Amino acid sequence: MLIPAYLLRHEVTVEAYEGDSAYGEVYGAPAIVRCFLEQKTRVVRDRKGRQVTSSSTFYCRLDEATAPPESQVTLPDGTKTTVIEAVPHGGGGLPTPDHLEVQLV
């Protein structure tokens, strides 16, 4: 089951982190992602298990975005932020929406 389209009211731009080069960090081409954006501060854990503060979270369809940690995200108001973690949520066959939760600095 997918997140209903009427809930995907926002658009963010994601530049997926691809790694480092001799000249610094490398990002993919900007991709516009339809999502539901929640601008709420909360404490989350990064991929190393450390507690960090997230200022925003967006939810999108699983096939809509690739947003590994350290990816750059531009919010609808122009604010640039960084991905802490992207967590896929699947319903396992239950009638709940499968989605990707992307936690932002």
Side-chain angles (χ1 to χ4, degrees):
M1 181 175 176
L2 299 174
I3 293 178
Y6 70 88
L7 291 177
L8 305 175
R9 306 192 63 73
H10 305 101
E11 285 186 346
V12 297
T13 303
V14 177
E15 297 171 57
Y17 178 73
E18 296 181 346
D20 292 318
S21 74
Y23 303 103
E25 298 168 331
V26 178
Y27 298 95
I32 296 174
V33 178
R34 290 185 60 213
C35 64
F36 176 78
L37 177 64
E38 178 182 40
Q39 293 183 291
K40 173 182 167 184
T41 303
R42 64 187 180 135
V43 176
V44 298
R45 293 201 180 270
D46 67 9
R47 63 185 338 176
K48 294 181 181 177
R50 297 177 298 208
Q51 287 187 345
V52 294
T53 302
S54 170
S55 63
S56 302
T57 303
F58 76 81
Y59 305 89
C60 65
R61 293 182 174 167
L62 283 173
D63 60 352
E64 183 93 15
T66 300
E70 299 184 42
S71 296
Q72 298 293 309
V73 177
T74 304
L75 302 179
D77 66 1
T79 303
K80 292 194 180 266
T81 185
T82 305
V83 173
I84 298 169
E85 190 68 60
V87 183
H89 294 280
L94 296 173
T96 59
D98 298 339
H99 62 282
L100 183 67
E101 173 185 342
V102 182
Q103 303 159 349
L104 307 170
V105 172

